[in-house]
Amino acid sequence: MKLFIDSGNLKEIEGLVPLGIIDGITTNPTLLAKEGGDYRGLLKKICQIVKGPTSAEVVSTDADGMIREGRELAALDEHIVVKVPFTKAGVMACKTLAAEGKRVNVTLIFSATQALLAAKVGAAYVSPFVGRLDDIATSGMNLVSEIVDIFENYQFSTEVLVASVRHPIHVVEAARMGADVCTCPASVIESMFKHPLTDIGLERFLKDWEKAGFK
Ligand code: E4P
C-alpha cells in the first residue's frame, strides 16, 4: 500500500520524505490555506521534494472552471494530480481532464455509488473520507471495503485512496482491505513508528552491552 502525507506543510513533508516511506502527497484548500502565501510556489516545492503524485484541488464549482483550474494546476509540475470534488460538475471535469491524459483524484467520496461513477469517467484516484464518516457514526472502513470489491469486480484501474485518516488502525484496516493508497496526517505517520516495547527493548540491549564492558 502506498503511503501519502496529507499536508501542505513543508517542515512535516521534509521531515518524513528522507525516510523513504512516502510515495506522494495530498493537499486540500483547508491545508493550503493554513500555510498561506504563494500556494502555487508551495505546490511546486512539494512536488520537487516528494517527486511523486501530489494532489492539488480546484476551488471552482462549475465544470468549465474546474477544467480551466485543473489545466493550470497540472501545468505547474508533472507530479500534480488534479483534485476535484465529487459533484456532477466534478464528474464532467474529471471526464475531460482524464481524456487529456491528466490524473484526477475525485475527492469527498462518501458512498460506493459515487466511487463507481468517478471510476467510470477515468479517475486515477477516488478518495473516501473515512474519519468524517466515523464522525457521524457510520463506518468509513466499510465504505473502503465496498469500493475495493467493486473495483476488483470490474478491474477498474482507479486507485482507492483512503483519506480523512485519524489513527493508525485506519491504516492497518486499509492495508488489510487492499486499498491502494492511504493518506495520513504527519501525526498519524509519526505514531506508526512508536511502540513502548521497542523503546524498552532497545534500552535493555544498550544497558546489557555497556555492562559487559566490551572494548
Ligand atoms: C484528503 O485528500 C483530504 O485532504 C483529507 O484526508 C481530509 O481529512 P480531514 O477529514 O481530516 O479534513
Side-chain angles (χ1 to χ4, degrees), residues 12-26:
E12 288 179 352
I13 294 167
E14 283 168 342
L16 288 168
V17 167
L19 294 170
I21 55 170
I22 302 302
D23 303 292
I25 299 284
T26 49

Side-chain angles (χ1 to χ4, degrees), residues 6 26-28 31 83 107 127 129 132 163-166 183:
D6 195 28
T26 49
T27 67
N28 64 37
L31 292 170
K83 208 174 181 189
T107 191
S127 293
F129 274 37
R132 293 194 198 183
S164 186
V165 165
R166 302 273 197 262
T183 189

Side-chain angles (χ1 to χ4, degrees), residues 166-187:
R166 302 273 197 262
H167 47 68
I169 295 172
H170 278 149
V171 183
V172 173
E173 289 180 339
R176 292 190 69 182
M177 285 171 187
D180 301 284
V181 189
C182 194
T183 189
C184 306
S187 58

Side-chain angles (χ1 to χ4, degrees), residues 32-77:
L32 291 183
K34 248 195 245 171
E35 303 306 315
D38 167 21
Y39 74 90
R40 292 184 188 86
L42 177 58
L43 284 168
K44 281 191 198 181
K45 270 189 205 152
I46 292 173
C47 288
Q48 279 156 24
I49 296 167
V50 183
K51 296 184 176 66
T54 299
S55 286
E57 190 163 340
V58 301
V59 289
S60 297
T61 53
D62 63 301
D64 287 346
M66 288 184 190
I67 293 164
R68 194 195 59 249
E69 262 190 80
R71 287 174 181 151
E72 281 167 16
L73 288 168
L76 289 177
D77 190 284

Side-chain angles (χ1 to χ4, degrees), residues 19-161:
L19 294 170
I21 55 170
I22 302 302
D23 303 292
I25 299 284
T26 49
T27 67
N28 64 37
T30 304
L31 292 170
L32 291 183
K34 248 195 245 171
E35 303 306 315
D38 167 21
Y39 74 90
R40 292 184 188 86
L42 177 58
L43 284 168
K44 281 191 198 181
K45 270 189 205 152
I46 292 173
C47 288
Q48 279 156 24
I49 296 167
V50 183
K51 296 184 176 66
T54 299
S55 286
E57 190 163 340
V58 301
V59 289
S60 297
T61 53
D62 63 301
D64 287 346
M66 288 184 190
I67 293 164
R68 194 195 59 249
E69 262 190 80
R71 287 174 181 151
E72 281 167 16
L73 288 168
L76 289 177
D77 190 284
E78 58 174 322
H79 297 296
I80 292 284
V81 173
V82 179
K83 208 174 181 189
V84 302
F86 183 89
T87 56
K88 279 188 183 167
V91 167
M92 276 180 67
C94 177
K95 185 187 73 172
T96 303
L97 292 166
E100 290 174 4
K102 295 174 178 62
R103 286 174 298 169
V104 181
N105 174 356
V106 179
T107 191
L108 290 169
I109 294 286
F110 291 98
S111 75
T113 50
Q114 291 178 329
L116 178 61
L117 298 178
K120 284 179 74 73
V121 289
Y125 304 93
V126 288
S127 293
F129 274 37
V130 296
R132 293 194 198 183
L133 278 171
D134 291 355
D135 290 345
I136 58 159
T138 304
S139 168
M141 293 315 301
N142 278 354
L143 171 61
V144 172
S145 171
E146 285 177 358
I147 300 172
V148 168
D149 282 351
I150 292 168
F151 285 7
E152 268 174 21
N153 284 347
Y154 298 101
Q155 280 101 49
F156 280 118
S157 58
T158 307
E159 296 193 31
V160 181
L161 190 163

